Amino acid sequence: MFPYLYVKSYVMQKIPVYFMPGLAASPKIFENIKLPEDQFECFYLEWLLPEKDEPLANYIKRLCDNVRHQDPVLIGVSFGGVIVQEMAKVIRARKVIIISSVRCNAEFPRRMRFAKAIAAYRFFPTTMMQKVDWLAKFAKGNSIIARRLKLYELYLSVRDKKYLDWAFKTIILWDRTEPEPEVIHIHGDADEVFPAKYLKNYIPVKGGKHVMIIDRAKWLNEHLPELILK
C-alpha cells in the first residue's frame, strides 16, 4: 500500500500597510496610490482631536490603538511622516516610509528653526485654515494661489482650531535630533516646504513638490512595492 502524500497549501498573507496623511489632511490624499491587491492590504489612519495640552507621546499611543495588525508597514506624508516615526517607538513596524517629510528636526528649514526659537506657533493664523473653503470661492483662474487653495479645499478636512494649534506647535517642537537610519525617505527635489538641501539619505523624485503624493502617484505606485518588499 502506498502512503498518502499530504500536500499543505499555503495562502500568502497580505502585508498590512497603514497610511497617515499630512497635517489636517484626510486619507483622500492617497486616492491615487494603488498597491497590488494580491500582496498588500491598505488601511488609512485619520487625525484624532487632541486632548487639552496633550503630549505627542500620549497622542501617538491613542493613534496606535487604531492599528490592528502586527508588524505593519507605516507610510506617512509630511507631518504624517513625523507621526509614523513616533508610532514606530510604540509598535513594531515592518517598514517605516516617509514622503515629503523629515527624519529629524535637524532637517527643518531655517524658517522652522527660527519659528521654534521665537515660539511663533503661538501666533500662527490657524483661523485662516478654517476659512479655506470661503477663500477658495474667491480664487479665480489658474494662478499658483488659486490652485493651492483648491487643493486645500479638496484634501484638508480637519479644520478644528484646537487640532490646528496643537499640530503646528507639535511639529515645531518635535524633539528628535538624530534620524533613524532604517526609515525610508522619499522626497521631491523641488519640495518647497522641506527643501531638499537640508536633507540627507533620501530617495529623490525629480520635479516632485510637497504635494507629490497627489501628482507623482505614478512614480510612487511603481516604486513603493519594491521598497516595502526589499
Side-chain angles (χ1 to χ4, degrees):
M1 179 180 267
F2 294 99
Y4 287 104
L5 296 178
Y6 292 96
V7 179
K8 271 189 175 181
S9 62
Y10 293 92
V11 177
M12 189 178 77
Q13 195 170 22
K14 294 181 181 181
I15 297 172
V17 182
Y18 282 77
F19 291 88
M20 187 73 210
L23 190 149
S26 75
K28 192 173 183 180
I29 67 167
F30 300 111
E31 64 184 356
N32 296 323
I33 303 299
K34 308 294 182 186
L35 302 182
E37 294 182 359
D38 60 329
Q39 293 177 291
F40 307 100
E41 190 171 6
C42 297
F43 303 88
Y44 303 93
L45 296 168
E46 297 190 52
W47 292 104
L48 307 173
L49 290 182
E51 298 170 355
K52 182 175 175 58
D53 299 321
E54 184 170 20
L56 177 59
N58 190 71
Y59 187 91
I60 293 298
K61 287 179 181 178
R62 291 201 295 127
L63 199 57
C64 285
D65 288 340
N66 293 322
V67 177
R68 305 299 184 187
H69 299 80
Q70 292 184 341
D71 300 327
V73 175
L74 301 176
I75 299 180
V77 173
S78 192
F79 184 35
V82 170
I83 294 297
V84 295
Q85 290 178 79
E86 294 299 308
M87 290 175 68
K89 293 180 179 178
V90 179
I91 60 174
R92 189 171 67 179
R94 178 187 179 112
K95 287 278 177 71
V96 177
I97 300 174
I98 64 173
I99 301 169
S100 306
S101 188
V102 290
R103 294 194 299 154
C104 65
N105 59 21
E107 296 183 334
F108 283 165
R110 289 179 183 174
R111 62 181 178 274
M112 288 185 68
R113 284 177 258 171
F114 180 68
K116 178 180 179 179
I118 65 171
Y121 53 83
R122 296 179 182 176
F123 314 106
F124 195 89
T126 49
T127 51
M128 292 296 289
M129 291 186 68
Q130 292 179 291
K131 298 176 180 177
V132 69
D133 300 31
W134 181 81
L135 291 170
K137 292 177 182 177
F138 294 92
K140 304 294 184 183
N142 198 36
S143 67
I144 293 176
I145 293 176
R147 292 199 303 270
R148 186 57 59 87
L149 282 172
K150 288 171 185 175
L151 281 175
Y152 287 167
E153 182 184 27
L154 183 60
Y155 294 109
L156 297 190
S157 63
V158 187
R159 309 286 172 79
D160 183 271
K161 189 177 188 314
K162 183 171 68 172
Y163 162 80
L164 293 171
D165 289 340
W166 173 87
F168 281 107
K169 179 179 178 180
T170 297
I171 191 169
I172 290 295
L173 298 183
W174 191 37
D175 61 1
R176 180 174 292 219
T177 57
E178 295 291 334
E180 171 56 53
E182 293 186 358
V183 170
I184 298 170
H185 187 180
I186 304 171
H187 207 85
D189 62 9
D191 193 300
E192 65 279 19
V193 175
F194 297 119
K197 66 180 180 180
Y198 296 107
L199 309 178
K200 295 179 180 179
N201 301 324
Y202 66 95
I203 300 169
V205 178
K206 186 173 178 58
K209 297 187 177 182
H210 198 64
V211 294
M212 72 175 188
I213 191 66
I214 299 167
D215 59 18
R216 289 291 190 276
K218 182 180 178 182
W219 188 98
L220 293 165
N221 289 335
E222 290 175 355
H223 293 86
L224 279 176
E226 179 187 357
L227 290 171
I228 292 172
L229 297 172
K230 191 173 181 180

